[in-house]
């Protein structure tokens, strides 16, 4: 049985394919179209389905759309529509207008979602038609609209390594819910409570992101990074806006932000201390509030484990506070926690409903669920592009030599990651031993100078380099750098003394693990800088063409792609393949 999951209602559109409880493939549309986030999260883009990501998932399984048994769409428009009314009237605004009432495009947006089965059957681009033939809007697949927050919830409790866990999801918006609380136990999930629009932690963070001159629904992670440079100058103001009332309930006010915090920062303008203080104050109050929410959920469920999803769960500083100061023994965060992960959750949920009573067959211990490219295909492209290169008999060993020399390396190996973070398949790698490497990487990627870079560390060595470090394969938590190691890895230490770590073992990614082992042989350091293989405004690279184009148009020193190495000095002076 094949179940196709689709996220398309907002941004980060994606697809996921599940077969009898096992995830076969998952990917974001942006990686194929090269449009960041796949599209902007505005009502007029609702009609766009992730055709390229769907096509990839079907290709990975060797099937066509007519072989799919179930399609799970991670949004339920009928929660906002009256089925019994003529023309289906709107019951709740999808996006409020500036005046506070329903926006004029809401009914149009919901009609697009209702008609998504027809769009899937007949709207694929001409170059992808082959795998979409032989179906109509009513089958042979069976269509399921899955509530947005249920999709988030399932993406966490059905992927986590727990049979018993409390479930907390927080994002900007769903159909109605913005936060949901639940319990997963004995193979069953029960939602205990939800918080509805207009009260939303995610929308609050989005509004402040916009006020600080960054792109809302995209740059919230920049605000989190900026917060480390600030002071709690505005915490009382934010506590007045975001009020926790107990029992999991909170409200978010709608103030005049200019009157409250002063003029908004101009996009691209200087980042001043006052902006840092705003970011810091927001982060403090978010952490306080979510800490109280998690405490209440623990009291309500009695579970020793907590799983998180929703875009707010990508806040790794908040996650670390829950891990270190909350009541749970273990906290697990679904690495594609934003909207891209709802295609995973919707597919897993519908699959499980069809296999009722059967045990789970899969949990998420890695995110390498995207496309891969073999050496033959990579070399054919390199020859076509007339680029000098050399074949390596041991790519990990040869790349480690370059990294130990202080070179910055594009790393393209195996199946692409699912989710917003590069975890060793589509990465830019560098040595952490010199502090100036952070500034160099931000220059290469055209990023703001306050942005930190993250480390990857051998799993068995993690606790020796980072305080209280355990298994952490997804870069969703921070840890303090051990004081006795600070001088050895200054490039990965943020201004607050922390680092967003990734641990790696050989079963997860053999060549990546071997690279770290080889680097340690040369330097004594089992740590590398790992940042995503992209530049500002661009999605992470997907194909060999993407990787080579990024390499050739940035100051990267070398590219390790499959079994092949390309180096800039060789390109400049000529040489033979």
């Amino acid at each position: 049985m094949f179940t196709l999951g689709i996220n398309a209602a907002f941004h980060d559109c994606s697809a996921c394919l599940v077969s009898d409880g096992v995830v076969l493939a998952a990917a974001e549309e942006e990686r194929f179209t090269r449009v960041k986030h796949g599209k902007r999260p505005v009502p007029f883009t609702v009609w766009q389905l992730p055709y390229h990501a769907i096509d990839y998932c079907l290709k990975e399984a060797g099937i066509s759309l007519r072989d799919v048994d179930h399609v799970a769409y991670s949004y339920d428009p009928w929660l906002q529509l009256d089925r019994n009314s003529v023309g289906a009237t709107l019951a709740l605004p999808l996006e409020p207008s500036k005046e506070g009432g329903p926006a004029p495009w809401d009914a149009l947006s919901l009609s697009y979602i209702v008609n998504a089965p027809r769009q899937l059957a007949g709207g694929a681009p001409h170059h992808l038609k082959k795998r979409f033939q032989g179906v109509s809007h009513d089958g042979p697949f069976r269509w399921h609209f899955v509530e947005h927050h249920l999709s988030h919830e399932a993406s966490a409790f059905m992927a986590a390594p727990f049979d018993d866990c409390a479930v907390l999801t927080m994002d900007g918006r769903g159909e109605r819910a913005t936060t949901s609380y639940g319990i997963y136990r004995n193979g069953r999930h029960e939602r205990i409570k939800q918080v509805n629009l207009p009260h939303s932690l995610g929308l609050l963070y989005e509004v402040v992101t916009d006020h600080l001159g960054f792109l809302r629904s995209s740059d919230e992670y920049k605000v989190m990074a900026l917060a480390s440079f600030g002071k709690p100058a505005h915490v009382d103001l934010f506590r007045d806006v975001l009020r926790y009332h107990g029992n999991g309930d909170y409200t978010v006010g709608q103030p005049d932000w200019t009157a409250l915090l002063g003029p908004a920062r101009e996009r691209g303008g200087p980042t001043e201390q006052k902006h840092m203080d705003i970011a810091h104050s927001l982060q403090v109050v978010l952490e306080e509030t979510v800490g109280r929410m998690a405490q209440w959920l623990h009291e309500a469920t009695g579970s020793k484990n907590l799983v998180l999803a929703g875009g707010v769960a990508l806040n790794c500083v908040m996650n670390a506070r829950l891990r270190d100061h909350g009541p749970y023994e273990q906290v697990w965060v679904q690495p594609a926690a934003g909207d891209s992960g709802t295609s995973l959750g919707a597919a897993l949920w519908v699959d499980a409903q069809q296999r009722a009573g059967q045990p789970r067959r899969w949990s998420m211990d890695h995110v390498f669920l995207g496309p891969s490219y073999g050496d033959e295909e990579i070399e054919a492209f390199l020859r076509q592009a007339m680029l000098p290169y050399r074949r390596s008999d041991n790519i990990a060993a040869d790349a480690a030599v370059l990294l130990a020399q202080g070179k910055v390396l594009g790393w393209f190996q195996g199946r692409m990651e699912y989710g917003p973070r590069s975890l060793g398949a589509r990465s830019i790698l560098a040595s952490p031993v010199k502090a100036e490497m952070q500034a160099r990487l931000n220059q290469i990627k055209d990023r703001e100078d306050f942005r930190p870079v993250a480390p990857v560390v051998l799993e068995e060595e993690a606790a020796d380099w980072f305080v209280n470090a355990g298994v952490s394969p997804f870069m969703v938590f921070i840890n303090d750098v051990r004081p006795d190691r600070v001088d050895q890895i200054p490039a990965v230490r943020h201004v607050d003394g922390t680092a967003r770590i990734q641990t790696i073992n050989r079963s997860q990614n053999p060549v990546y693990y071997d690279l770290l082992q080889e680097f340690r042989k040369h330097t004594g350091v089992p740590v590398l800088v790992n940042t995503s293989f992209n530049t500002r405004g661009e999605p992470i690279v997907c194909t060999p063409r993407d990787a080579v184009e990024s390499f050739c148009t940035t100051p990267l020193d070398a590219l390790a792609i499959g079994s092949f190495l390309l180096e800039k000095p060789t390109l400049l002076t000529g040489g033979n393949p």
Side-chain angles (χ1 to χ4, degrees):
M1 179 180 67
F2 291 103
T3 302
L4 174 68
I6 297 174
N7 168 54
F10 297 123
H11 57 161
D12 294 323
C13 41
S14 63
C16 173
L17 188 66
V18 173
S19 176
D20 296 323
V22 177
V23 176
L24 302 182
E28 292 94 329
E29 183 75 353
E30 66 166 23
R31 309 296 170 83
F32 305 95
T33 63
R34 313 308 299 158
V35 176
K36 189 71 172 175
H37 299 296
K39 59 182 181 179
R40 292 299 299 144
V42 295
F44 303 111
T45 62
V46 173
W47 65 270
Q48 292 180 260
L49 297 183
Y51 294 108
H52 297 80
I54 294 170
D55 182 74
Y56 154 67
C57 289
L58 297 175
K59 179 182 178 182
E60 187 69 30
I63 63 173
S64 298
L65 186 57
R66 61 178 171 267
D67 301 310
V68 170
D69 300 284
H70 299 273
V71 177
Y73 187 98
S74 61
Y75 195 93
D76 186 356
W78 299 110
L79 293 175
Q80 296 172 285
L81 294 168
D82 181 357
R83 287 179 182 268
N84 299 317
S85 68
V86 177
T89 58
L90 186 66
L92 186 76
L94 176 69
E95 181 110 7
S97 67
K98 291 182 178 179
E99 293 74 27
W105 50 74
D106 286 340
L108 177 62
S109 301
L110 290 170
S111 72
Y112 280 141
I113 298 176
V114 170
N115 285 286
R118 289 177 170 82
Q119 194 71 21
L120 178 64
H126 67 90
H127 62 290
L128 301 179
K129 289 284 188 183
K130 183 177 180 180
R131 264 183 278 272
F132 289 80
Q133 293 176 345
V135 300
S136 69
H137 67 279
D138 56 358
F141 56 77
R142 181 184 171 193
W143 187 274
H144 306 260
F145 287 115
V146 182
E147 187 214 359
H148 187 72
H149 265 261
L150 176 57
S151 299
H152 274 311
E153 290 164 340
S155 79
F157 69 77
M158 299 198 74
F162 307 132
D163 295 322
D164 183 308
C165 55
V167 185
L168 175 58
T169 72
M170 303 163 286
D171 69 355
R173 67 186 70 80
E175 303 86 352
R176 292 185 173 125
T178 65
T179 295
S180 64
Y181 304 90
I183 178 68
Y184 177 73
R185 182 172 287 153
N186 298 323
R188 296 177 60 85
H189 171 258
E190 176 189 357
R191 183 176 300 177
I192 299 171
K193 177 176 282 193
Q194 68 186 51
V195 177
N196 293 334
L197 285 167
H199 308 291
S200 167
L201 300 175
L203 289 182
L204 172 62
Y205 218 96
E206 283 187 21
V207 169
V208 179
T209 296
D210 184 68
H211 187 83
L212 289 174
F214 301 112
L215 185 63
R216 64 186 301 167
S217 298
S218 177
D219 290 346
E220 285 73 22
Y221 61 95
K222 296 181 183 180
V223 176
M224 181 186 68
L226 189 64
S228 298
F229 295 86
K231 300 176 182 177
H234 307 290
V235 290
D236 289 339
L237 296 178
F238 278 105
R239 285 170 182 154
D240 191 52
V241 172
L242 174 56
R243 297 187 176 187
Y244 182 69
H245 303 289
N247 297 322
D249 293 317
Y250 65 84
T251 54
V252 178
Q254 305 296 322
D256 181 333
W257 290 101
T258 299
L260 193 68
L261 299 173
R265 171 179 170 267
E266 183 180 351
R267 188 160 297 166
T271 304
E272 302 173 4
Q273 186 62 45
K274 62 182 179 181
H275 304 128
M276 300 175 188
D277 293 346
I278 291 170
H280 181 87
S281 301
L282 170 65
Q283 180 68 29
V284 167
V285 175
L286 175 73
E287 292 175 20
E288 289 178 351
T289 304
V290 174
R292 293 169 181 168
M293 293 160 56
Q295 178 67 46
W296 172 81
L297 181 59
H298 179 260
E299 294 167 0
T301 64
S303 181
K304 64 182 181 181
N305 304 310
L306 173 67
V307 299
L308 301 173
V312 178
L314 290 172
N315 191 305
C316 59
V317 181
M318 177 196 76
N319 295 342
R321 176 166 178 160
L322 290 175
R323 178 198 63 195
D324 297 337
H325 303 291
Y328 299 92
E329 294 181 14
Q330 296 187 80
V331 177
W332 190 89
V333 182
Q334 202 270 103
D339 277 2
S340 66
T342 61
S343 62
L344 169 73
L348 286 171
W349 177 258
V350 169
D351 171 90
Q353 302 313 297
Q354 310 311 308
R355 300 185 307 106
Q358 298 184 38
R360 286 199 299 160
R361 300 183 56 212
W362 177 86
S363 63
M364 181 177 272
D365 62 354
H366 67 78
V367 293
F368 305 114
L369 298 168
S372 65
Y373 300 86
D375 280 349
E376 184 176 346
E377 187 173 2
I378 292 171
E379 187 168 26
F381 175 75
L382 296 176
R383 288 186 177 277
Q384 180 185 6
M386 301 178 68
L387 292 172
Y389 63 90
R390 63 184 174 94
R391 180 184 285 269
S392 170
D393 293 329
N394 187 334
I395 195 68
D398 289 343
V401 170
L402 298 176
L403 291 166
Q405 293 171 353
K407 294 185 177 182
V408 180
L409 183 74
W411 179 256
F412 184 101
Q413 304 289 330
R415 294 185 72 177
M416 182 179 69
E417 301 94 338
Y418 176 53
R421 309 243 163 90
S422 288
L423 298 171
R426 306 289 187 272
S427 296
I428 293 175
L429 303 176
S431 168
V433 301
K434 293 185 178 179
E436 57 266 28
M437 184 58 77
Q438 177 188 352
R440 185 180 174 199
L441 285 166
N442 283 339
Q443 183 266 330
I444 287 173
K445 297 189 65 174
D446 189 27
R447 304 196 320 175
E448 296 86 354
D449 57 9
F450 63 82
R451 300 268 299 279
V453 290
V456 57
V457 59
L458 294 173
E459 183 179 288
E460 63 271 24
E461 300 282 348
D464 192 40
W465 291 79
F466 302 96
V467 176
N468 295 326
V471 176
S472 184
F474 300 136
M475 281 190 182
V476 289
F477 298 99
I478 61 168
N479 290 79
D480 290 327
V481 180
R482 289 181 62 91
D484 57 327
R485 297 296 193 181
V486 167
D487 293 338
Q488 292 176 272
I489 52 172
V492 299
R493 184 176 181 268
H494 197 28
V495 66
D496 61 1
T498 66
R500 188 186 69 198
I501 73 169
Q502 176 198 3
T503 62
I504 186 71
N505 62 51
R506 202 170 193 282
S507 67
Q508 293 165 333
N509 190 328
V511 68
Y512 192 38
Y513 179 88
D514 291 346
L515 174 66
L516 280 157
Q517 288 281 24
E518 293 289 339
F519 183 76
R520 181 171 64 172
K521 290 179 183 178
H522 293 284
T523 64
V525 175
V527 179
L528 283 171
V529 178
N530 173 21
T531 187
S532 57
F533 197 165
N534 67 330
T535 54
R536 184 191 289 196
E538 292 289 324
I540 297 170
V541 302
C542 175
T543 67
R545 177 183 290 275
D546 299 334
V548 169
E549 288 180 352
S550 186
F551 169 65
C552 290
T553 56
T554 61
L556 285 171
D557 297 309
L559 172 64
I561 180 167
S563 296
F564 307 101
L565 273 172
L566 290 76
E567 297 182 62
K568 285 282 172 65
T570 303
L571 292 175
L572 293 173
T573 60
N576 297 316

